[in-house]
Amino acid sequence: MNILDFYAVDGALSEEERAVRDSVRRFVDERVLPIIGHCFVEGRFPKELIPEMGSLGLFGANLPEEYGCAGLNNVAYGLIMQELERGDSGVRSFASVQGALVMYPIYAFGSEEQKRRYLPQMATGEIIGCFGLTEPDFGSNPAGMITTAKEQGDGSYILNGAKMWITNGSTAHVAVVWAKTGADESTIRGFLVPTDSKGFSAKDQKGKLSLRASDTSELVFQDVCVPKGNLLPKSGGLKSPLMCLTQARYGISWGALGAAMACFEEATSYAKQRVMFGKPIGGFQLQQERLAEMLTEIVKAQLLVLHLGRMKDAGTFTPQQVSLAKRNNVNMATDIAREARRLLGANGILAEYAAMRHMENLESVYTYEGTHDVHTLILGQAITGLNAFN
Amino acid sequence: MKIAVCIKRVPDTETRIKVSGAKIDETGVKFIANPYDEFAVEAALQLKQKAGGEVVAISLGPDTAQETIRTALAMGADRGVHLKTDGQPYDTLAVAQALAAELKGYDLVLLGKMAIDDYNHAMAPALAELLGLPCVSAVTSLTIDGAKGTAEREVEGGVEVLSFPLPAVISTDKGLNKPRLPTLPGIMAAKKKPMESKPAALGTTRVTVRSLTLPPERPAGRIIGEGAAAVPELVRLLQTEAKVL
């Protein structure tokens, strides 16, 4: 049997869900894993994979077929994220941003014309998008954002401000930018901003020790003129970007599971082969405890996201339930990556092995899309009814 | 051009296999499309892209064979035919007779040179014989030009080039192409493609499996020593213990 299917969760997946998972798994095995260690060391996102990811249908795969997307359910979508992050959190982040943070808001808040113009070409990866919400001084508190969009007499908007930690920022053709059109958070609207607009600049963020195989940039808007037709007409208030984050966080809770699975597999295989004191280190109790803890957490996380996915498909899931899954799964993956790295001994610090790369990546995943602490407070509020944010 | 591709459901070679009697224990075993048959599906799809026509994926086996057919449909085959049996029969000729009954009227029949579960290498020649068609086995290159085909095979120390008239039965080897992955829209579309299921007209079974045994566990490696000083001992052990010299 496959040890990673210890609770026979495979049997709870449909044939189509398994087929999707297996196809993405092969793509990751054949195309991502052979190069990703080098990309990480070089600090380069493997752009060359984008067309193939697009033709496989990995972008916005849970959006409808009429817009050129695969029309999958949310469990299949989650399995895509799991498999991509089994490769690398940076590769999964690319797909998360493209699908959940750019295609989803265009689908949910865009006009029919915007959907037809962007979604089919984003599904194939011909158009790449990024999502600008976080600002240098407003991360966990997006309501405080200072980026503004001032409406002009002709209905166009003038955009001023800066966004930070923007995945795909320098690669993107279009940015979904969130800005205040008035004084408070209820005036936040979303805009489709072509990255070749006058006054738009993107600068690569240097010196990252995490998500090195990912493009992370700072965006600056200096009197960028956004035509009236580029406003996402159905966006309104902070709730709109938060809805996008719920989509992305859902995918992340699956993705982190993939990273944990990769680390567990690597640690297990190493423990069975590496001989010390005359026998494989997997024969020693200390390493067995490590592996037993890892498997236990992985099985719990698998059951958690599968149930969450079924609830999402049934339309009954809540953002608080997503917070619990993101918080739990990323945290457990971070712990597993670190323990796997330790089990690998000195070899564990090499890029040839995946554990330390995942360990470093997961520190970003722990921090983005609502930090672990923010999700703690969301749960705290759900439990007590008391707001601990301010 | 009307192309039939025969495709078999086999255990994933990465699965840890357990044997129970003359069968493998299927509990927890992952099944995949036979990788050699995937070369045949890819070849068929490429030929269809060039010359048009229809690609039909055919599999013989229990109901689970339909999943394997859907893999081919997700890759791009047009429709599927499932020849239904209880369990996966072993006897090549009995299976070939059932497949041959279905394979009439095709310009080209493609299938893997062998299935990775039984390693028989026998299906393509058996089908060709029953259908009265020319057969080229284990091809690494295939070109079809009108009613004629050319194929290359890797033979000991070189390459053999053969020509043949259509219709023909061709078995495919590694190196022929790189099979495409089923795309996600392809997986969704596969559910809507036609699939016919009917009882397989199996021939008489004469060959049965009596028992299956797993190879013995490989013992852990041993380090004899280091440098030139260790060579005599290594040679001695290779001669007396491993008996390879």
Side-chain angles (χ1 to χ4, degrees):
Chain A
M1 70 165 285
N2 173 6
I3 194 72
L4 274 170
D5 191 26
F6 199 66
Y7 258 50
V9 177
D10 250 30
L13 301 176
S14 70
E15 177 189 324
E16 168 193 314
E17 288 160 355
R18 278 183 282 117
V20 166
R21 192 249 339 253
D22 292 347
S23 220
V24 183
R25 182 167 289 183
R26 276 175 78 171
F27 166 75
V28 170
D29 285 346
E30 290 169 17
R31 306 281 285 121
V32 179
L33 293 181
I35 61 166
I36 198 65
H38 292 289
C39 292
F40 186 91
V41 171
E42 290 166 13
R44 170 181 91 79
F45 173 72
K47 272 188 200 177
E48 64 272 27
L49 299 179
I50 297 172
E52 207 173 334
M53 290 170 81
S55 63
L56 274 175
L58 303 187
F59 302 135
N62 55 349
L63 298 178
E65 286 158 307
E66 61 169 312
Y67 297 113
C69 304
L72 299 177
N73 71 15
N74 285 292
V75 170
Y77 173 83
L79 289 164
I80 298 172
M81 297 298 134
Q82 170 190 298
E83 291 307 314
L84 289 177
E85 197 149 353
R86 204 173 55 78
D88 189 84
S89 302
V91 176
R92 198 271 304 142
S93 294
F94 182 91
S96 273
V97 168
Q98 179 84 347
L101 295 183
V102 185
M103 295 172 74
Y104 170 79
I106 293 172
Y107 172 70
F109 311 123
S111 66
E112 192 56 34
E113 190 195 332
Q114 288 168 339
K115 290 185 219 181
R116 303 251 167 238
R117 175 159 171 225
Y118 284 102
L119 294 180
Q121 280 184 280
M122 295 199 76
T124 58
E126 289 159 277
I127 295 181
I128 296 162
C130 67
F131 177 88
L133 175 67
T134 296
E135 299 188 353
D137 294 321
F138 295 92
S140 293
N141 176 24
M145 69 168 64
I146 51 176
T147 298
T148 56
K150 292 250 159 60
E151 193 171 359
Q152 307 299 296
D154 62 356
S156 67
Y157 289 83
I158 299 293
L159 198 61
N160 276 292
K163 300 287 179 182
M164 208 164 172
W165 308 114
I166 308 305
T167 299
N168 303 354
S170 299
T171 320
H173 303 103
V174 64
V176 169
V177 177
W178 300 91
K180 280 180 181 162
T181 57
D184 62 23
E185 66 176 73
S186 71
T187 69
I188 292 174
R189 308 290 305 265
F191 298 88
L192 291 167
V193 185
T195 56
D196 59 2
S197 301
K198 191 164 174 277
F200 182 107
S201 60
K203 198 172 71 188
D204 212 15
Q205 287 186 235
K206 303 278 185 209
K208 283 185 298 172
L209 299 175
S210 174
L211 288 186
R212 290 186 49 78
S214 177
D215 157 18
T216 311
S217 300
E218 185 180 0
L219 310 182
V220 177
F221 323 110
Q222 207 166 17
D223 294 323
V224 176
C225 179
V226 184
K228 188 180 176 180
N230 287 27
L231 168 74
L232 290 171
K234 285 176 254 171
S235 69
L238 186 61
K239 189 168 178 286
S240 301
L242 294 186
M243 280 168 71
C244 303
L245 295 183
T246 300
Q247 301 296 317
R249 290 165 180 173
Y250 167 75
I252 290 167
S253 59
W254 281 90
L257 173 60
M261 287 161 66
C263 292
F264 172 77
E265 273 193 305
E266 182 170 83
T268 303
S269 136
Y270 191 85
K272 285 171 160 175
Q273 283 164 19
R274 173 72 170 173
V275 174
M276 197 58 60
F277 301 109
K279 65 174 178 181
I281 60 169
F284 293 99
Q285 291 182 359
L286 282 174
Q287 309 306 349
Q288 289 194 355
E289 196 215 1
R290 275 205 166 106
L291 295 171
E293 285 296 335
M294 289 183 197
L295 182 62
T296 306
E297 290 306 316
I298 286 171
V299 167
K300 284 151 70 178
Q302 284 173 331
L303 296 169
L304 183 62
V305 285
L306 180 60
H307 189 67
L308 183 68
R310 296 285 179 234
M311 288 196 291
K312 189 173 190 310
D313 279 329
T316 60
F317 87 150
T318 66
Q320 290 78 11
Q321 288 168 336
V322 178
S323 284
L324 189 149
K326 193 274 183 183
R327 181 178 182 275
N328 180 77
N329 286 14
V330 176
N331 193 48
M332 72 89 198
T334 310
D335 288 346
I336 285 176
R338 189 179 56 240
E339 289 304 317
R341 199 229 59 74
R342 288 177 179 169
L343 183 146
L344 265 61
N347 282 322
I349 71 163
L350 298 173
E352 185 186 332
Y353 293 89
M356 188 151 173
R357 177 168 49 80
H358 283 297
M359 186 185 101
E360 291 176 14
N361 282 338
L362 286 162
E363 287 299 321
S364 292
V365 182
Y366 185 93
T367 307
Y368 71 24
E369 296 278 353
T371 65
H372 186 79
D373 294 348
V374 159
H375 290 297
T376 306
L377 299 188
I378 290 172
L379 292 177
Q381 190 174 9
I383 298 162
T384 64
L386 303 169
N387 179 354
F389 285 94
N390 44 38
Chain B
M1 188 158 51
K2 203 173 163 191
I3 307 171
V5 182
C6 302
I7 180 165
K8 186 179 184 185
R9 180 175 178 268
V10 296
D12 189 343
T13 44
E14 284 175 20
T15 307
R16 205 186 304 161
I17 301 288
K18 273 191 256 168
V19 167
S20 92
K23 286 184 172 173
I24 66 160
D25 177 1
E26 294 194 1
T27 322
V29 173
K30 191 174 172 233
F31 283 84
I32 56 171
N34 176 34
Y36 289 97
D37 296 339
E38 287 187 337
F39 300 127
V41 176
E42 180 62 37
L45 295 174
Q46 288 182 10
L47 288 170
K48 187 195 156 181
Q49 271 164 358
K50 273 193 212 132
E54 187 186 32
V55 175
V56 182
I58 301 172
S59 188
L60 181 145
D63 284 340
T64 44
Q66 291 193 11
E67 193 172 331
T68 309
I69 294 173
R70 269 190 289 272
T71 305
L73 298 179
M75 288 171 76
D78 298 293
R79 61 184 175 92
V81 178
H82 170 217
L83 301 177
K84 192 171 150 72
T85 57
D86 307 322
Q88 193 71 50
Y90 180 84
D91 189 305
T92 304
L93 188 57
V95 172
Q97 283 163 336
L99 286 172
E102 186 59 36
L103 287 170
K104 302 207 160 61
Y106 287 93
D107 300 308
L108 194 59
V109 175
L110 293 170
L111 65 159
K113 71 166 181 178
M114 65 169 197
I116 60 164
D117 56 353
D118 61 24
Y119 270 58
N120 269 338
H121 294 79
M123 189 54 71
L127 286 176
E129 187 65 24
L130 292 171
L131 293 165
L133 298 178
C135 179
V136 183
S137 62
V139 309
T140 52
S141 167
L142 178 65
T143 321
I144 303 292
D145 186 8
K148 283 198 316 204
T150 312
E152 288 180 13
R153 307 175 68 236
E154 280 178 20
V155 293
E156 190 67 38
V159 174
E160 188 175 61
V161 182
L162 301 108
S163 61
F164 55 90
L166 296 189
V169 178
I170 306 294
S171 78
T172 52
D173 200 357
K174 192 176 178 175
L176 174 63
N177 53 43
K178 190 179 173 319
R180 67 195 69 191
L181 292 174
T183 66
L184 311 192
I187 290 168
M188 295 299 280
K191 291 192 300 183
K192 294 169 199 148
K193 289 181 177 175
M195 165 114 62
E196 186 189 354
S197 182
K198 53 188 171 188
L202 283 175
T204 312
T205 293
R206 288 173 296 190
V207 180
T208 51
V209 182
R210 284 182 57 180
S211 69
L212 282 174
T213 326
L214 290 173
E217 291 255 340
R218 269 186 15 195
R222 212 157 81 230
I223 295 171
I224 312 289
E226 270 184 38
V231 173
E233 176 65 0
L234 179 64
V235 171
R236 189 187 70 79
L237 287 172
L238 288 173
Q239 279 175 335
T240 59
E241 205 179 296
K243 298 191 168 80
V244 293
L245 291 182

